[in-house]
Amino acid sequence: MLQQILDSVKIFQPEITLVIVLCAAILIDLIVKNKPQFIASIVMAGLFVAGYFVIQQSGVAVSIFSNMFVVDSFSVFFKVIILLTAIFVVMFSMQSKELNNGKRKLGEYYAFVISMTLGMLLMTGASNLLMMYLSIELTSLSSYILAGYKKETPDSSEASLKYIIYGAVSSGMLLYGISILYGLTGSLNIYDVNQVIQQGGVSLLALIAANLLMIVGFGFKISAVPFHFWTPDVYEGAPITITAFLSVASKAAGFALMIRYFFVGYYDPLASAINGYFTTIGGFDWHIIIAILSVATMTIGNFTAVWQNNLKRLLAYSSIAHAGYMMMGVVVLNNEGISAIMIYFATYLFMNLGAFYIVMLIADKIGSEDIDSYKGLGYKAPFMAVVFAIFLISLTGLPPTAGFIGKLYLFAALINSGWIWLAIVGVLNSVVSLYYYVRIFRNMFLRDIDIEHEPIKFSPSHFIVALLLVIPTLVLGLYFGPLVDFAQASVGILGIK
Amino acid sequence: MIPLNYYLALSAILFSIGVVGVLARRNAIIVFMSIELMLNSVNLTLVAFSAYLGNATGQMFVFFVLTVAAAEAAVGLAIIIALFRNKMTVNIDEINIMKW
C-alpha cells in the first residue's frame, strides 16, 4: 500500500506542483501585500514547471492511487491544453485594467486560478466516479468565486449567483446519476462499472436514467444545450480573463472527463474486437443522445449569437456553438473522432483566447464591449483590428487559418464513419456563424470611414501577447503536420484498444 | 427490515421536491436550501444502496458529498451577500440585469 502510494506520487508531479504554488500564492499574498505582479510571476513559473512535468509524462500509461486517477497520453494532451490556457490567462490578468484597478487584492485571484487549473488537471485523468465528482466541484467552486471577483459591480455578482445555482443543481443531478449507477453496479471505478455491465443483468432503463442525469452534469461543464443557460450571463458578467479561461480550459476538461467516462464505461471489448470498431455495451447507444445534443447545441448557439450586441455575449454563444461542433467528434466513436476533437481544441485555444484578449484590450481602452462601439476600429487601432479579424476568420473556420484545420479533421472524421447528415448540419451552422462574425468585421472596417479617428495606443507587451496568439493561429492553418501527429499519437485512453 | 425500494422512493421524492424548490422559489436562500435537499436525498440513496449491497464505498462517498455541500453553501452564501450589497435584494426575479 505504502509502496503504491509512493509510486503514485512520482507520477503525480504536475498536480503536486500546482498544490505547492497554490499554497505559496496564498502565503506570499499574506506576507508581501499589494504586489499582484510578483504573485502572478510566481504562479506563471509554477504553471511552466507543471507543464514541464506534464510533458515528461508523455508516453506513460498507468493507473495510480488505487485506480483513482489515470495518467495516459489522452490526459497528457488535455493537460497541455489546460496549462497553456492557464499561462495565457495569467498573462491577460497581469495586463487587465479591469482587475488591476489598484483597489482589488489579486493574490487570492491568482490562487483561485491555480486551484481551478488543478481541478481541471484532475478532471482529465479521473477514472473513479468519486474523483470525477470531486474534481468537477474543485473546478466549479473556484470558478464561481472567480466569476464574481469584481464583487462591487452588480453584473459580476449576478453572474456568479446564476453560475452557482446552475452549477449546484447540475452537480446534484450528476450526483444522483452516480448514486444510481453505484446502486446498479456496486462500484465507483469506471473500469469495474464496465466489467459489471459486461456481465449483463443491469437494467437498461435504469442505466439510461443514470446516464441522462450524468449528462446534465457533463453538459453543464461543456455548456451544451439545453444546459447552457448560465453561459452567456456568466461570460458577460465575469472578468474577461475568467471568461476566456472558462471558454477554453473548463470546456477541454469537461470534454476529457466525458469522453473518458463514456468510452471506458461503455466499451464492449469482445464486440469491438469482432466488429473492428468501438462498440457500445448491451444496446446502450449513448452516442445517439450526444448527437442530438450536438445538433441542438450548434444550432441554438449560432442562431442566438446572431442577435447579440455585447461582444462577450456574442462570443459566449459562439463558444456554445463550438462545443456543439466538438461534440460531433464524440459521436463517431473512434480514434479519428477523438483526435479531431484534440486538434480542434488546440486550434480553438489560440483563436478563442485571442478573440477574448482583443475584446479585453479594447474594453480597457474605450470602456465598452458593445458591437457598435467597434465602428471605425480598423482606423483607430489598425494592428489590433486586423489581428481580431484573423481570430474571427479562424473561428468561422475559413482557410488559411487554424480554425479551418480543426473543422476539416472534424468533418472528415464524421464523413468517414458515415454520419453524413450530422456533417451537413455542421457545415450549415458554420455558414450561419459567418454572418455574426462578419458583422463585427463590417463595424471595424466599413463603418465610420470618413470621420477623423483618434488613434488608440497600446504598449509593446500588448503587441507581444497578441502576436503570441495570432502567429499560432496562422501557422497552424498552414503547417499543421506536427499538431496532427501529436493529436493522433495521443488518442490512447487507458483500457481501450 | 425495510425494503430497498422504500428508501429509493423516498429519496426520489425528496430529490424532486428539491428540484421543484429550485425552480419555483424566488428567494435565493431558499433556492440554496432546496439544493441542499437534493444533495441530501442523493446521500440517502447512496447509504441505502451501500447497506443493501454490503459495500462501504457508498457510505464513504456520503462524507465527501457532505463536505462539498458545506463548501458550496459557504461560497453560495458569500456570493449572496456580495449581491445583496449591490442590489439590496435576494429575490431571484429582481436579479435580471442580463437576459438573452
Side-chain angles (χ1 to χ4, degrees):
Chain A
M1 185 72 190
L2 183 68
Q3 192 54 42
Q4 197 207 357
I5 292 173
L6 287 176
D7 290 343
S8 304
V9 166
K10 277 180 207 147
I11 302 172
F12 209 54
Q13 285 153 334
E15 288 80 6
I16 292 174
T17 314
L18 289 186
V19 173
I20 294 170
V21 175
L22 170 65
C23 300
I26 296 172
L27 280 179
I28 294 169
D29 183 46
L30 287 174
I31 300 163
V32 196
K33 293 232 157 46
N34 291 325
K35 286 268 191 328
Q37 304 291 348
F38 178 59
I39 295 173
S41 43
I42 287 176
V43 161
M44 181 98 89
L47 287 170
F48 274 109
V49 173
Y52 170 77
F53 285 132
V54 165
I55 289 168
Q56 295 294 308
Q57 285 176 347
S58 56
V60 178
V62 282
S63 183
I64 56 173
F65 291 122
S66 319
N67 298 328
M68 275 298 209
F69 191 74
V70 167
V71 177
D72 53 14
S73 44
F74 174 77
S75 72
V76 166
F77 188 93
F78 277 98
K79 281 177 192 172
V80 171
I81 298 268
I82 290 165
L83 287 172
L84 257 180
T85 316
I87 289 168
F88 274 115
V89 165
V90 173
M91 264 185 227
F92 295 177
S93 310
M94 288 165 87
Q95 297 180 350
S96 165
K97 255 195 198 147
E98 181 183 38
L99 290 171
N100 297 291
N101 65 353
K103 282 176 286 184
R104 222 186 300 278
K105 297 183 95 177
L106 283 173
E108 292 131 20
Y109 171 88
Y110 290 112
F112 281 122
V113 168
I114 288 290
S115 72
M116 202 173 148
T117 316
L118 174 66
M120 291 187 293
L121 291 197
L122 294 176
M123 275 168 83
T124 60
S127 65
N128 184 303
L129 295 170
L130 173 59
M131 191 67 204
M132 287 184 171
Y133 171 67
L134 289 179
S135 55
I136 287 181
E137 283 298 323
L138 178 57
T139 315
S140 300
L141 284 174
S142 318
S143 50
Y144 301 148
I145 300 170
L146 286 174
Y149 211 79
K150 299 184 293 170
K151 60 177 189 286
E152 70 288 347
T153 57
D155 57 343
S156 186
S157 46
E158 176 179 328
S160 147
L161 183 72
K162 284 182 175 166
Y163 197 12
I164 193 169
I165 290 177
Y166 279 111
V169 171
S170 53
S171 78
M173 298 269 185
L174 171 78
L175 209 50
Y176 199 48
I178 291 177
S179 74
I180 295 174
L181 197 64
Y182 167 70
L184 290 174
T185 60
S187 172
L188 290 173
N189 187 315
I190 50 175
Y191 293 95
D192 295 345
V193 167
N194 181 262
Q195 291 290 324
V196 174
I197 301 174
Q198 273 179 46
Q199 285 159 14
V202 174
S203 149
L204 185 64
L205 199 65
L207 199 62
I208 291 174
N211 279 290
L212 282 178
L213 286 165
M214 290 182 72
I215 284 178
V216 176
F218 299 143
F220 165 77
K221 271 265 115 352
I222 62 176
S223 65
V225 172
F227 321 112
H228 71 290
F229 291 103
W230 61 276
T231 319
D233 289 350
V234 172
Y235 281 23
E236 185 182 343
I240 306 184
T241 51
I242 297 309
T243 307
F245 202 23
L246 288 175
S247 72
V248 180
S250 169
K251 252 179 213 180
F255 265 97
L257 186 74
M258 188 172 88
I259 291 172
R260 186 182 298 280
Y261 168 73
F262 279 121
F263 277 70
V264 173
Y266 301 96
Y267 172 63
D268 194 341
L270 277 175
S272 300
I274 295 166
N275 295 343
Y277 55 83
F278 185 97
T279 311
T280 50
I281 286 181
F284 175 49
D285 289 328
W286 53 267
H287 59 290
I288 307 290
I289 305 173
I290 306 277
I292 295 166
L293 289 185
S294 151
V295 171
T297 308
M298 284 188 282
T299 316
I300 293 183
N302 275 321
F303 277 93
T304 325
V306 168
W307 34 78
Q308 296 306 322
N309 284 321
N310 181 302
L311 264 176
K312 267 158 102 180
R313 228 176 154 74
L314 189 148
L315 286 174
Y317 280 108
S318 116
S319 89
I320 293 174
H322 283 279
Y325 299 139
M326 288 185 265
M327 281 162 81
M328 298 194 300
V330 184
V331 173
V332 300
L333 295 183
N334 55 24
N335 283 347
E336 203 187 347
I338 297 179
S339 71
I341 295 177
M342 289 169 153
I343 296 167
Y344 203 96
F345 258 116
T347 59
Y348 178 71
L349 187 164
F350 293 108
M351 60 197 188
N352 207 45
L353 282 183
F356 277 113
Y357 181 63
I358 305 292
V359 172
M360 179 189 101
L361 283 185
I362 304 296
D364 282 350
K365 299 287 177 191
I366 63 176
S368 164
E369 291 146 7
D370 201 83
I371 204 164
D372 287 330
S373 60
Y374 277 60
K375 279 183 185 157
L377 191 78
Y379 305 92
K380 288 183 224 166
F383 177 79
M384 290 299 172
V386 169
V387 167
F388 195 30
I390 292 171
F391 292 135
L392 294 176
I393 293 170
S394 185
L395 283 167
T396 324
L398 297 175
T401 52
F404 173 69
I405 301 305
K407 284 221 171 79
L408 181 71
Y409 276 89
L410 210 50
F411 291 135
L414 280 171
I415 289 165
N416 287 344
S417 45
W419 286 84
I420 310 282
W421 68 270
L422 194 57
I424 292 173
V425 174
V427 172
L428 289 179
N429 264 292
S430 303
V431 176
V432 175
S433 75
L434 185 64
Y435 174 76
Y436 57 84
Y437 291 128
V438 163
R439 246 178 91 207
I440 309 175
F441 241 72
R442 185 190 59 187
N443 270 1
M444 286 196 302
F445 296 107
L446 300 176
R447 291 290 153 92
D448 289 354
I449 301 175
D450 304 329
I451 57 171
E452 278 290 306
H453 290 291
E454 189 91 356
I456 305 177
K457 294 241 177 335
F458 295 99
S459 74
S461 60
H462 293 151
F463 287 106
I464 292 169
V465 177
L467 281 174
L468 278 179
L469 288 161
V470 77
I471 290 173
T473 309
L474 287 173
V475 169
L476 287 178
L478 299 168
Y479 182 64
F480 46 89
L483 170 67
V484 173
D485 292 343
F486 181 35
Q488 282 169 351
S490 303
V491 287
I493 300 178
L494 190 70
I496 297 201
K497 294 285 177 297
Chain B
M1 194 183 139
I2 305 171
L4 176 68
N5 284 346
Y6 286 39
Y7 290 108
L8 296 185
L10 174 65
S11 65
I13 291 168
L14 285 177
F15 190 82
S16 314
I17 294 174
V19 173
V20 171
V22 171
L23 296 175
R25 287 309 192 117
R26 299 278 67 110
N27 186 314
I29 294 177
I30 296 185
V31 169
F32 271 93
M33 285 164 63
S34 306
I35 290 170
E36 293 296 311
L37 188 61
M38 285 168 67
L39 294 180
N40 282 323
S41 73
V42 172
N43 286 347
L44 187 61
T45 320
L46 282 170
V47 173
F49 275 132
S50 175
Y52 173 74
L53 296 167
N55 166 335
T57 321
Q59 293 179 32
M60 178 205 68
F61 201 137
V62 169
F63 285 104
F64 285 94
V65 176
L66 286 175
T67 319
V68 171
E72 214 159 51
V75 172
L77 290 176
I79 289 171
I80 290 180
I81 291 172
L83 187 77
F84 185 77
R85 284 194 183 137
N86 285 322
K87 302 201 62 161
M88 300 314 272
T89 177
V90 288
N91 187 332
I92 302 270
D93 285 338
E94 290 169 39
I95 301 171
N96 55 3
I97 312 175
M98 292 174 287
K99 302 181 210 174
W100 297 109

